Each structure stands twice: as structure tokens, then as C-alpha cells.
Amino acid sequence: MGIEREIKLALPADQLDAASHWFVTRTGSAGQPVALTNIYFDTPALTLARSKSALRLRHTPDGWLQTFKTAGNAASGMHSRHEWEMPVAGEKLEIDTLLKACDEPTVAAALRGAAPDLIELFRTNFTRTLWQLDSHGSSIEAAIDQGDVIAEVNGETRRAPILEVELELKSGDEAALHAVASELCANVPGLAPDDISKAQRGYRLREK
């Protein structure tokens, strides 16, 4: 199990170029774009949502990953949560493998109970442009995500846009993460802390 620590910032569309330019200038790199397809699962009764967890399959250029996360804590754009992630053979969940890895009894029990009734609820399809930053000896992965949340509800296709910056601490001091976020916000007007995860957006889209 790992603890994911990241700062999420909503990015105004008219500041996309400014944010990209800041990362290019800061790192000396044009950034690495990666297309990501993400499928989120739950039961019709939303068992996982009620247990404050989320389950997804992600297709990357290197293959498929399955990820199980807790909602954790989110305040002022700072997200801290448990995360279990591992490769899988294809577009299919491997629940037994996740259960072996999950060391949080409450959410593990929810996943075990939900497993027979899991269905696809929604997708998030987006392009993630990545930069690697060093700050005071800490390593931070910076990303700009652009795309959509997509849900099929009663024959209707619903969409909501994704446009955000994520700063994830890969190693080092959390203070460095906040320092980079402050520096970015000082140079890119309109950035705002975002406490809502992509999974939460998907659930909300289905409820409309």
C-alpha cells in the first residue's frame, strides 16, 4: 500500500497555455503527453462509493493497470489517500490480487462484498502531459489533464470536461509540494484548489 499525496488545481481554459509554458520553462522539457482511458466500477447499489473507495481499470501505452483507492482526505486542493495499484493482463479486473494487497480491512471487506455485482459506471478519457520537477531535494510529478468524464445513463451519454493540474509528491518533503503549487499559482492566474476527484465527478455526473 502507498499513500498518494497530490495537489489538484482547477485550470481555467484560457490559462492552459500559460500553465504549460510555466512547466516548460521550469523543467526545460516540452512535457510527455500520454493518452489514458479509465473505466470505473461499482455495484448498482454503489457499495464502493458508500465505503468511500473507488475502483478503476486504466489503459496506458504500456498496458492495463487496476487501481483501488480510498477517498482519504481533501482540503484546499491537497489530497491524501491510500492507493493500491498493479498491472493486469488485459481489460479485466483481478479482484483476488487486489484483495491480497489491500491492508485496510474496512475497504477490503467492501471490495470483497461488491465483487460479484461490479458493473462499469463511467469513464474518464483524457490526455495527461507530464513533467518531472525537483524542488529542494524532493521529486514531484506535474501533470496537466485534458479530457472528459463520460457516463451512459438510461441510453443518454453524459459528459463533463476535465481540465486540471495535478502535482504529486513522488519522494521527499510535502512542504516542497506546497512550495511548487504556490509558485505555480503566483504565475498562472485563476488556478483554484479542487477537492473533487475524477471519480467523484463521475458519480455526480450519473446523478444529474
Side-chain angles (χ1 to χ4, degrees):
M1 177 191 69
I3 302 292
E4 182 184 46
R5 292 182 173 86
E6 68 179 18
I7 292 176
K8 186 189 297 287
L9 302 166
L11 176 60
D14 62 358
Q15 294 299 319
L16 173 59
D17 289 345
S20 300
H21 178 73
W22 188 86
F23 285 122
V24 170
T25 302
R26 180 74 160 68
T27 65
S29 167
Q32 177 188 359
V34 181
L36 299 174
T37 299
N38 307 273
I39 310 168
Y40 285 81
F41 297 86
D42 205 336
T43 69
L46 306 184
T47 302
L48 297 182
R50 293 203 311 272
S51 73
K52 300 186 183 303
S53 58
L55 175 64
R56 77 168 184 232
L57 276 176
R58 166 171 285 176
H59 187 247
T60 78
D62 297 323
W64 288 91
L65 296 171
Q66 64 179 3
T67 307
F68 188 45
K69 295 185 181 188
T70 63
N73 300 306
S76 301
M78 178 70 192
H79 296 249
S80 179
R81 55 205 168 199
H82 297 296
E83 178 183 79
W84 300 268
E85 184 169 79
M86 60 200 64
V88 291
E91 191 178 344
K92 184 179 180 181
L93 292 166
E94 298 177 8
I95 299 296
D96 288 345
T97 307
L98 270 178
L99 287 171
K100 288 177 183 177
C102 183
D103 52 1
E104 286 290 313
T106 301
V107 291
L111 178 59
R112 186 177 294 106
D117 300 314
L118 290 171
I119 60 171
E120 177 183 330
L121 280 193
F122 54 87
R123 298 189 177 214
T124 61
N125 297 339
F126 56 91
T127 297
R128 169 168 287 174
T129 305
L130 292 165
W131 293 268
Q132 305 300 322
L133 283 73
D134 293 317
S135 178
H136 305 289
S138 297
S139 177
I140 296 167
E141 183 179 83
I144 294 179
D145 292 345
Q146 304 173 70
D148 295 282
V149 185
I150 306 167
E152 299 289 338
V153 183
N154 298 324
E156 173 194 4
T157 301
R158 300 178 181 178
R159 293 178 179 268
I162 295 170
L163 185 55
E164 61 191 26
V165 173
E166 290 189 356
L167 302 169
E168 182 178 352
L169 183 66
K170 307 303 284 188
S171 65
D173 191 343
E174 190 176 302
L177 189 65
H178 291 280
V180 169
S182 295
E183 185 181 350
L184 175 62
C185 289
N187 285 274
V188 181
L191 282 170
D194 191 350
D195 295 338
I196 307 301
S197 70
K198 293 182 181 70
Q200 288 171 314
R201 291 184 193 178
Y203 281 106
R204 292 181 179 187
L205 187 63
R206 286 185 58 89
E207 292 169 359
K208 286 185 176 180

